Amino acid sequence: MLSFKPISIADKDAITACTYPGRFLNCDFAFANMCSWRFLHDSEFAIVDGFLLIRFRIEEKGRKHQVYMFPVGNGDFRHIITVLEDDARANGHPLWILGVTPDEKKILDQVFPSEFIYLPERDYYDYIYLRSDLQQLKGKKYQAKRNHINRFENKYRYAYLPLMPDLVPKCMELACKWYRDNRTEEAAEDLKDEHRSMVFALNHFRELDLRGGALCVDGEIIAFTCGSAINHYTFGVHMEKADIRYDGAFSVINREFVSRLPEQFLYINREEDLGIPGLRHAKLSYHPVILLEKNTAIKRR
């Protein structure tokens, strides 16, 4: 049986040494996400034969099911997938690999022809944009966004502030207000989990290598965003909150933030829509260059 250990902030260097040089665009490979959501998924990792292996638990039909991410590394994929299958079966589960993209599916089909069943998870597809598109908002397709921003700029005198630890308490106040305003009975549990993850991330801003920004109007923080690198050329936006009384705040914080990211980041991953109609519409309205398909791959017995 493999020796997995819980993911903690102390493991950042070991994990990012595997993920940063990689080709994965998937938001789940951002270390900040792995760490800040560990409380929900009991996320663990192991490094075996040059591969980073990540396993965690999801609830399926009222019981916890042990699942895995696609191995990160180069080498013998047939061997390392077999290692995962042995670990899964030793713990009483069939092998499930979550977040399998089309490129990863090709690898699985090559080394295990017809041995995996694939279930598309549309609610968890990642929305990935060219950083230049979000920064410049050029062309007819972004006319509505530019109009939205212009109205905001004409109405408010605002300042953009880099998100530093001293601003975190004010951002937390805004996040708590947003949570109260958006809490419904149906979404209460999901929002509670998101809030817990956000609090952890903001309280460990430096340790997680987060970058962020905030909008200030009349001395008040009215919007903030932050995220982290997924790899050397892809940046993941993990959170974005705004006071909805300020129409256009979301559009402005998005543009201002990506405009200040290091030029090495060609792609911006704004993560999933979770099947929420309004969120799906908003993410599509920015015209992703990649709608990253993700599947659950289940190994046939």
Side-chain angles (χ1 to χ4, degrees):
M1 188 178 297
L2 298 177
S3 179
F4 280 84
K5 61 173 290 190
I7 293 175
S8 71
I9 289 176
D11 302 309
K12 179 173 71 68
D13 289 344
I15 290 176
T16 57
C18 299
T19 57
Y20 280 4
R23 64 191 182 282
F24 294 99
L25 306 179
N26 188 329
C27 69
D28 300 308
F29 286 113
F31 177 76
N33 274 342
M34 297 182 199
C35 208
S36 62
W37 284 95
R38 191 197 169 274
F39 74 92
L40 185 63
H41 301 299
D42 300 325
S43 308
E44 302 173 301
F45 83 102
I47 297 177
V48 179
D49 297 333
F51 284 92
L52 170 67
L53 307 180
I54 299 167
R55 76 180 183 189
F56 54 103
R57 290 168 181 82
I58 61 171
E59 191 160 321
E60 179 73 14
K61 296 181 180 179
R63 63 184 290 264
K64 289 283 187 177
H65 194 103
Q66 182 171 287
V67 298
Y68 302 81
M69 293 296 294
F70 194 84
V72 179
N74 296 300
D76 188 343
F77 277 98
R78 182 173 182 83
H79 166 69
I80 205 66
I81 296 295
T82 300
V83 167
L84 290 185
E85 182 176 20
D86 290 344
D87 183 72
R89 299 215 180 275
N91 285 282
H93 299 276
L95 176 60
W96 286 22
I97 305 176
L98 269 60
V100 174
T101 67
D103 286 344
E104 295 157 5
K105 182 175 179 291
K106 288 178 183 177
I107 293 173
L108 290 177
D109 286 342
Q110 182 178 10
V111 296
F112 291 98
S114 303
E115 293 188 41
F116 277 92
I117 300 168
Y118 299 99
L119 305 176
E121 302 284 356
R122 175 62 181 87
D123 294 351
Y124 297 96
Y125 286 14
D126 282 0
Y127 290 79
I128 300 173
Y129 309 83
L130 286 174
R131 174 253 183 87
S132 57
D133 283 346
L134 297 184
Q135 179 179 351
Q136 299 168 13
L137 298 174
K138 286 184 177 180
K140 185 176 180 180
K141 66 182 180 181
Y142 289 115
Q143 183 65 55
K145 298 297 182 187
R146 296 196 300 273
N147 292 343
H148 214 198
I149 290 171
N150 288 338
R151 287 196 295 270
F152 180 91
E153 292 179 332
N154 289 333
K155 187 172 184 179
Y156 304 107
R157 296 187 65 181
Y158 72 92
Y160 175 86
L161 305 172
L163 185 52
M164 304 299 286
D166 61 313
L167 284 181
V168 165
K170 292 185 177 181
C171 292
M172 294 279 286
E173 289 178 13
L174 175 58
C176 289
K177 179 182 184 305
W178 185 94
Y179 174 75
R180 291 193 300 270
D181 291 345
N182 289 272
R183 186 181 183 276
T184 64
E185 187 173 340
E186 291 180 350
E189 196 64 31
D190 289 341
L191 286 176
K192 181 180 177 183
D193 291 338
E194 181 197 39
H195 189 72
R196 181 175 174 182
S197 170
M198 186 185 308
V199 168
F200 178 91
L202 290 174
N203 282 334
H204 298 86
F205 192 84
R206 288 193 186 279
E207 300 98 310
L208 293 173
D209 279 343
L210 292 171
R211 296 174 181 267
L215 294 183
C216 182
V217 174
D218 296 330
E220 180 183 358
I221 298 297
I222 60 109
F224 75 92
T225 186
C226 74
S228 67
I230 297 173
N231 60 28
H232 287 314
Y233 57 90
T234 307
F235 189 90
V237 175
H238 307 323
M239 63 185 81
E240 186 178 84
K241 302 298 178 192
D243 188 330
I244 59 173
R245 295 177 299 172
Y246 295 83
D247 186 36
F250 278 110
S251 298
V252 174
I253 190 65
N254 179 20
R255 184 199 62 180
E256 295 286 345
F257 178 56
V258 300
S259 298
R260 290 167 172 80
L261 286 174
E263 292 186 2
Q264 72 189 66
F265 296 114
L266 303 178
Y267 295 105
I268 307 296
N269 185 325
R270 291 181 59 79
E271 303 193 349
E272 317 101 329
D273 63 38
L274 304 176
I276 302 170
L279 192 54
R280 179 167 297 184
H281 174 78
K283 289 180 184 285
L284 287 172
S285 72
Y286 273 99
H287 306 286
V289 67
I290 301 171
L291 183 57
L292 187 63
E293 175 186 327
K294 291 195 273 189
N295 300 272
T296 295
I298 302 175
K299 185 78 160 52
R300 300 178 192 272
R301 293 183 179 273

